PDB file of all heavy atoms in Angstrom:
ATOM      1  N   LEU A  29      49.907  22.176 -32.780  1.00 95.00           N
ATOM      2  CA  LEU A  29      49.777  23.034 -33.900  1.00 95.00           C
ATOM      3  C   LEU A  29      50.807  22.721 -35.043  1.00 95.00           C
ATOM      4  O   LEU A  29      50.407  22.603 -36.200  1.00 95.00           O
ATOM      5  CB  LEU A  29      49.967  24.545 -33.478  1.00 95.00           C
ATOM      6  CG  LEU A  29      48.756  25.172 -32.824  1.00 95.00           C
ATOM      7  CD1 LEU A  29      49.144  26.445 -32.144  1.00 95.00           C
ATOM      8  CD2 LEU A  29      47.606  25.467 -33.880  1.00 95.00           C
ATOM      9  N   ARG A  30      52.039  22.553 -34.638  1.00 95.00           N
ATOM     10  CA  ARG A  30      53.093  22.213 -35.602  1.00 95.00           C
ATOM     11  C   ARG A  30      52.835  20.813 -36.284  1.00 95.00           C
ATOM     12  O   ARG A  30      53.042  20.707 -37.490  1.00 95.00           O
ATOM     13  CB  ARG A  30      54.423  22.238 -34.981  1.00 95.00           C
ATOM     14  CG  ARG A  30      54.912  23.657 -34.583  1.00 95.00           C
ATOM     15  CD  ARG A  30      56.438  23.564 -34.282  1.00 95.00           C
ATOM     16  NE  ARG A  30      56.852  24.876 -33.717  1.00 95.00           N
ATOM     17  CZ  ARG A  30      57.040  25.101 -32.404  1.00 95.00           C
ATOM     18  NH1 ARG A  30      56.987  24.098 -31.419  1.00 95.00           N
ATOM     19  NH2 ARG A  30      57.483  26.236 -31.974  1.00 95.00           N
ATOM     20  N   ALA A  31      52.367  19.906 -35.516  1.00 96.00           N
ATOM     21  CA  ALA A  31      52.102  18.501 -35.984  1.00 96.00           C
ATOM     22  C   ALA A  31      50.977  18.569 -36.971  1.00 96.00           C
ATOM     23  O   ALA A  31      51.092  17.977 -38.120  1.00 96.00           O
ATOM     24  CB  ALA A  31      51.775  17.614 -34.879  1.00 96.00           C
ATOM     25  N   ILE A  32      49.980  19.368 -36.732  1.00 93.00           N
ATOM     26  CA  ILE A  32      48.805  19.522 -37.646  1.00 93.00           C
ATOM     27  C   ILE A  32      49.244  20.216 -38.895  1.00 93.00           C
ATOM     28  O   ILE A  32      48.848  19.902 -40.032  1.00 93.00           O
ATOM     29  CB  ILE A  32      47.680  20.211 -36.934  1.00 93.00           C
ATOM     30  CG1 ILE A  32      47.097  19.284 -35.850  1.00 93.00           C
ATOM     31  CG2 ILE A  32      46.553  20.634 -37.918  1.00 93.00           C
ATOM     32  CD1 ILE A  32      46.141  20.006 -34.864  1.00 93.00           C
ATOM     33  N   THR A  33      50.169  21.235 -38.787  1.00 93.00           N
ATOM     34  CA  THR A  33      50.589  21.911 -39.974  1.00 93.00           C
ATOM     35  C   THR A  33      51.432  21.026 -40.817  1.00 93.00           C
ATOM     36  O   THR A  33      51.338  20.980 -42.034  1.00 93.00           O
ATOM     37  CB  THR A  33      51.545  23.055 -39.537  1.00 93.00           C
ATOM     38  OG1 THR A  33      50.739  24.023 -38.777  1.00 93.00           O
ATOM     39  CG2 THR A  33      52.135  23.801 -40.777  1.00 93.00           C
ATOM     40  N   SER A  34      52.251  20.148 -40.201  1.00 93.00           N
ATOM     41  CA  SER A  34      53.058  19.170 -40.921  1.00 93.00           C
ATOM     42  C   SER A  34      52.136  18.155 -41.654  1.00 93.00           C
ATOM     43  O   SER A  34      52.516  17.755 -42.761  1.00 93.00           O
ATOM     44  CB  SER A  34      54.011  18.467 -40.074  1.00 93.00           C
ATOM     45  OG  SER A  34      53.377  17.505 -39.216  1.00 93.00           O
ATOM     46  N   LEU A  35      51.062  17.820 -41.127  1.00 90.00           N
ATOM     47  CA  LEU A  35      50.040  16.850 -41.680  1.00 90.00           C
ATOM     48  C   LEU A  35      49.365  17.537 -42.879  1.00 90.00           C
ATOM     49  O   LEU A  35      49.194  16.934 -43.902  1.00 90.00           O
ATOM     50  CB  LEU A  35      49.073  16.454 -40.647  1.00 90.00           C
ATOM     51  CG  LEU A  35      47.985  15.434 -41.154  1.00 90.00           C
ATOM     52  CD1 LEU A  35      48.599  14.162 -41.535  1.00 90.00           C
ATOM     53  CD2 LEU A  35      46.942  15.221 -40.005  1.00 90.00           C
ATOM     54  N   ASP A  36      49.021  18.785 -42.699  1.00 87.00           N
ATOM     55  CA  ASP A  36      48.297  19.545 -43.700  1.00 87.00           C
ATOM     56  C   ASP A  36      49.165  19.786 -44.976  1.00 87.00           C
ATOM     57  O   ASP A  36      48.685  19.790 -46.076  1.00 87.00           O
ATOM     58  CB  ASP A  36      47.787  20.829 -43.149  1.00 87.00           C
ATOM     59  CG  ASP A  36      46.893  21.618 -44.078  1.00 87.00           C
ATOM     60  OD1 ASP A  36      45.972  20.942 -44.707  1.00 87.00           O
ATOM     61  OD2 ASP A  36      47.076  22.835 -44.271  1.00 87.00           O
ATOM     62  N   THR A  37      50.441  20.019 -44.746  1.00 86.00           N
ATOM     63  CA  THR A  37      51.337  20.399 -45.862  1.00 86.00           C
ATOM     64  C   THR A  37      52.326  19.235 -46.220  1.00 86.00           C
ATOM     65  O   THR A  37      53.168  19.466 -47.089  1.00 86.00           O
ATOM     66  CB  THR A  37      52.164  21.641 -45.397  1.00 86.00           C
ATOM     67  OG1 THR A  37      52.914  21.355 -44.231  1.00 86.00           O
ATOM     68  CG2 THR A  37      51.216  22.785 -45.136  1.00 86.00           C
ATOM     69  N   TRP A  38      52.320  18.130 -45.463  1.00 88.00           N
ATOM     70  CA  TRP A  38      53.306  17.048 -45.619  1.00 88.00           C
ATOM     71  C   TRP A  38      54.716  17.615 -45.544  1.00 88.00           C
ATOM     72  O   TRP A  38      55.663  17.388 -46.341  1.00 88.00           O
ATOM     73  CB  TRP A  38      53.115  16.367 -46.949  1.00 88.00           C
ATOM     74  CG  TRP A  38      51.865  15.595 -47.041  1.00 88.00           C
ATOM     75  CD1 TRP A  38      50.811  15.780 -47.925  1.00 88.00           C
ATOM     76  CD2 TRP A  38      51.437  14.434 -46.234  1.00 88.00           C
ATOM     77  NE1 TRP A  38      49.795  14.862 -47.674  1.00 88.00           N
ATOM     78  CE2 TRP A  38      50.222  14.113 -46.687  1.00 88.00           C
ATOM     79  CE3 TRP A  38      52.042  13.721 -45.199  1.00 88.00           C
ATOM     80  CZ2 TRP A  38      49.500  12.950 -46.100  1.00 88.00           C
ATOM     81  CZ3 TRP A  38      51.412  12.704 -44.589  1.00 88.00           C
ATOM     82  CH2 TRP A  38      50.135  12.304 -45.071  1.00 88.00           C
ATOM     83  N   ASP A  39      54.966  18.434 -44.488  1.00 91.00           N
ATOM     84  CA  ASP A  39      56.229  19.110 -44.258  1.00 91.00           C
ATOM     85  C   ASP A  39      57.025  18.263 -43.204  1.00 91.00           C
ATOM     86  O   ASP A  39      56.805  18.311 -42.078  1.00 91.00           O
ATOM     87  CB  ASP A  39      56.049  20.496 -43.730  1.00 91.00           C
ATOM     88  CG  ASP A  39      57.325  21.319 -43.781  1.00 91.00           C
ATOM     89  OD1 ASP A  39      58.395  20.704 -43.392  1.00 91.00           O
ATOM     90  OD2 ASP A  39      57.330  22.531 -44.010  1.00 91.00           O
ATOM     91  N   SER A  40      58.015  17.522 -43.728  1.00 92.00           N
ATOM     92  CA  SER A  40      58.771  16.599 -42.867  1.00 92.00           C
ATOM     93  C   SER A  40      59.652  17.323 -41.924  1.00 92.00           C
ATOM     94  O   SER A  40      60.073  16.910 -40.867  1.00 92.00           O
ATOM     95  CB  SER A  40      59.503  15.531 -43.667  1.00 92.00           C
ATOM     96  OG  SER A  40      60.418  16.206 -44.547  1.00 92.00           O
ATOM     97  N   THR A  41      60.048  18.594 -42.372  1.00 94.00           N
ATOM     98  CA  THR A  41      61.006  19.364 -41.509  1.00 94.00           C
ATOM     99  C   THR A  41      60.274  19.814 -40.218  1.00 94.00           C
ATOM    100  O   THR A  41      60.854  19.774 -39.110  1.00 94.00           O
ATOM    101  CB  THR A  41      61.443  20.616 -42.287  1.00 94.00           C
ATOM    102  OG1 THR A  41      62.134  20.188 -43.477  1.00 94.00           O
ATOM    103  CG2 THR A  41      62.414  21.467 -41.435  1.00 94.00           C
ATOM    104  N   ILE A  42      59.063  20.271 -40.371  1.00 95.00           N
ATOM    105  CA  ILE A  42      58.265  20.654 -39.191  1.00 95.00           C
ATOM    106  C   ILE A  42      57.981  19.381 -38.319  1.00 95.00           C
ATOM    107  O   ILE A  42      58.050  19.473 -37.108  1.00 95.00           O
ATOM    108  CB  ILE A  42      56.927  21.331 -39.623  1.00 95.00           C
ATOM    109  CG1 ILE A  42      57.182  22.644 -40.296  1.00 95.00           C
ATOM    110  CG2 ILE A  42      55.978  21.544 -38.401  1.00 95.00           C
ATOM    111  CD1 ILE A  42      55.933  23.257 -40.900  1.00 95.00           C
ATOM    112  N   ALA A  43      57.667  18.292 -38.942  1.00 95.00           N
ATOM    113  CA  ALA A  43      57.445  17.019 -38.225  1.00 95.00           C
ATOM    114  C   ALA A  43      58.631  16.628 -37.405  1.00 95.00           C
ATOM    115  O   ALA A  43      58.553  16.239 -36.251  1.00 95.00           O
ATOM    116  CB  ALA A  43      57.101  15.940 -39.225  1.00 95.00           C
ATOM    117  N   THR A  44      59.844  16.774 -38.000  1.00 95.00           N
ATOM    118  CA  THR A  44      61.052  16.467 -37.287  1.00 95.00           C
ATOM    119  C   THR A  44      61.263  17.331 -36.051  1.00 95.00           C
ATOM    120  O   THR A  44      61.743  16.864 -34.971  1.00 95.00           O
ATOM    121  CB  THR A  44      62.326  16.620 -38.235  1.00 95.00           C
ATOM    122  OG1 THR A  44      62.080  15.630 -39.291  1.00 95.00           O
ATOM    123  CG2 THR A  44      63.577  16.234 -37.523  1.00 95.00           C
ATOM    124  N   GLN A  45      60.875  18.588 -36.188  1.00 95.00           N
ATOM    125  CA  GLN A  45      61.096  19.528 -35.020  1.00 95.00           C
ATOM    126  C   GLN A  45      60.106  19.136 -33.919  1.00 95.00           C
ATOM    127  O   GLN A  45      60.482  19.140 -32.714  1.00 95.00           O
ATOM    128  CB  GLN A  45      60.714  20.927 -35.495  1.00 95.00           C
ATOM    129  CG  GLN A  45      60.938  22.023 -34.435  1.00 95.00           C
ATOM    130  CD  GLN A  45      62.441  22.103 -34.095  1.00 95.00           C
ATOM    131  OE1 GLN A  45      63.243  22.211 -34.973  1.00 95.00           O
ATOM    132  NE2 GLN A  45      62.745  22.103 -32.776  1.00 95.00           N
ATOM    133  N   VAL A  46      58.911  18.698 -34.228  1.00 96.00           N
ATOM    134  CA  VAL A  46      57.979  18.231 -33.234  1.00 96.00           C
ATOM    135  C   VAL A  46      58.490  17.076 -32.474  1.00 96.00           C
ATOM    136  O   VAL A  46      58.460  16.954 -31.199  1.00 96.00           O
ATOM    137  CB  VAL A  46      56.557  17.903 -33.848  1.00 96.00           C
ATOM    138  CG1 VAL A  46      55.699  17.223 -32.850  1.00 96.00           C
ATOM    139  CG2 VAL A  46      55.862  19.132 -34.446  1.00 96.00           C
ATOM    140  N   ILE A  47      59.028  16.100 -33.196  1.00 96.00           N
ATOM    141  CA  ILE A  47      59.602  14.895 -32.681  1.00 96.00           C
ATOM    142  C   ILE A  47      60.813  15.204 -31.680  1.00 96.00           C
ATOM    143  O   ILE A  47      60.916  14.694 -30.612  1.00 96.00           O
ATOM    144  CB  ILE A  47      60.061  13.954 -33.723  1.00 96.00           C
ATOM    145  CG1 ILE A  47      58.811  13.445 -34.543  1.00 96.00           C
ATOM    146  CG2 ILE A  47      60.884  12.797 -33.135  1.00 96.00           C
ATOM    147  CD1 ILE A  47      59.227  12.770 -35.861  1.00 96.00           C
ATOM    148  N   HIS A  48      61.598  16.185 -32.178  1.00 94.00           N
ATOM    149  CA  HIS A  48      62.776  16.680 -31.373  1.00 94.00           C
ATOM    150  C   HIS A  48      62.324  17.331 -30.043  1.00 94.00           C
ATOM    151  O   HIS A  48      62.905  17.118 -28.995  1.00 94.00           O
ATOM    152  CB  HIS A  48      63.624  17.585 -32.228  1.00 94.00           C
ATOM    153  CG  HIS A  48      64.822  18.132 -31.451  1.00 94.00           C
ATOM    154  ND1 HIS A  48      64.715  19.309 -30.810  1.00 94.00           N
ATOM    155  CD2 HIS A  48      66.096  17.633 -31.265  1.00 94.00           C
ATOM    156  CE1 HIS A  48      65.935  19.588 -30.280  1.00 94.00           C
ATOM    157  NE2 HIS A  48      66.743  18.565 -30.533  1.00 94.00           N
ATOM    158  N   ASP A  49      61.326  18.147 -30.181  1.00 92.00           N
ATOM    159  CA  ASP A  49      60.881  18.918 -28.986  1.00 92.00           C
ATOM    160  C   ASP A  49      60.074  18.151 -27.965  1.00 92.00           C
ATOM    161  O   ASP A  49      59.909  18.568 -26.825  1.00 92.00           O
ATOM    162  CB  ASP A  49      59.951  20.143 -29.473  1.00 92.00           C
ATOM    163  CG  ASP A  49      60.779  21.150 -30.210  1.00 92.00           C
ATOM    164  OD1 ASP A  49      62.054  21.110 -30.121  1.00 92.00           O
ATOM    165  OD2 ASP A  49      60.177  22.002 -30.830  1.00 92.00           O
ATOM    166  N   ASP A  50      59.751  16.879 -28.326  1.00 93.00           N
ATOM    167  CA  ASP A  50      58.917  16.099 -27.403  1.00 93.00           C
ATOM    168  C   ASP A  50      59.661  15.780 -26.095  1.00 93.00           C
ATOM    169  O   ASP A  50      59.134  15.671 -25.036  1.00 93.00           O
ATOM    170  CB  ASP A  50      58.511  14.744 -28.055  1.00 93.00           C
ATOM    171  CG  ASP A  50      57.534  13.969 -27.173  1.00 93.00           C
ATOM    172  OD1 ASP A  50      56.505  14.545 -26.779  1.00 93.00           O
ATOM    173  OD2 ASP A  50      57.859  12.809 -26.893  1.00 93.00           O
ATOM    174  N   ALA A  51      61.014  15.750 -26.184  1.00 93.00           N
ATOM    175  CA  ALA A  51      61.879  15.445 -24.996  1.00 93.00           C
ATOM    176  C   ALA A  51      61.725  16.553 -23.977  1.00 93.00           C
ATOM    177  O   ALA A  51      61.744  16.290 -22.814  1.00 93.00           O
ATOM    178  CB  ALA A  51      63.283  15.268 -25.405  1.00 93.00           C
ATOM    179  N   GLN A  52      61.554  17.801 -24.409  1.00 92.00           N
ATOM    180  CA  GLN A  52      61.377  18.950 -23.544  1.00 92.00           C
ATOM    181  C   GLN A  52      60.102  18.831 -22.720  1.00 92.00           C
ATOM    182  O   GLN A  52      60.048  19.158 -21.492  1.00 92.00           O
ATOM    183  CB  GLN A  52      61.438  20.249 -24.278  1.00 92.00           C
ATOM    184  CG  GLN A  52      62.802  20.623 -24.851  1.00 92.00           C
ATOM    185  CD  GLN A  52      62.807  21.897 -25.613  1.00 92.00           C
ATOM    186  OE1 GLN A  52      61.972  22.162 -26.509  1.00 92.00           O
ATOM    187  NE2 GLN A  52      63.668  22.784 -25.276  1.00 92.00           N
ATOM    188  N   ILE A  53      59.033  18.409 -23.428  1.00 94.00           N
ATOM    189  CA  ILE A  53      57.741  18.221 -22.756  1.00 94.00           C
ATOM    190  C   ILE A  53      57.823  17.184 -21.759  1.00 94.00           C
ATOM    191  O   ILE A  53      57.377  17.306 -20.638  1.00 94.00           O
ATOM    192  CB  ILE A  53      56.692  17.946 -23.846  1.00 94.00           C
ATOM    193  CG1 ILE A  53      56.388  19.108 -24.741  1.00 94.00           C
ATOM    194  CG2 ILE A  53      55.309  17.436 -23.150  1.00 94.00           C
ATOM    195  CD1 ILE A  53      55.504  18.837 -25.963  1.00 94.00           C
TER     196      ILE A  53
END
Side-chain angles (χ1 to χ4, degrees):
L29 280 165
R30 291 193 188 103
I32 290 166
T33 299
S34 73
L35 179 64
D36 187 45
T37 60
W38 294 116
D39 190 322
S40 60
T41 301
I42 296 175
T44 299
Q45 187 64 48
V46 173
I47 295 165
H48 177 268
D49 290 348
D50 188 56
Q52 291 180 308
I53 292 172

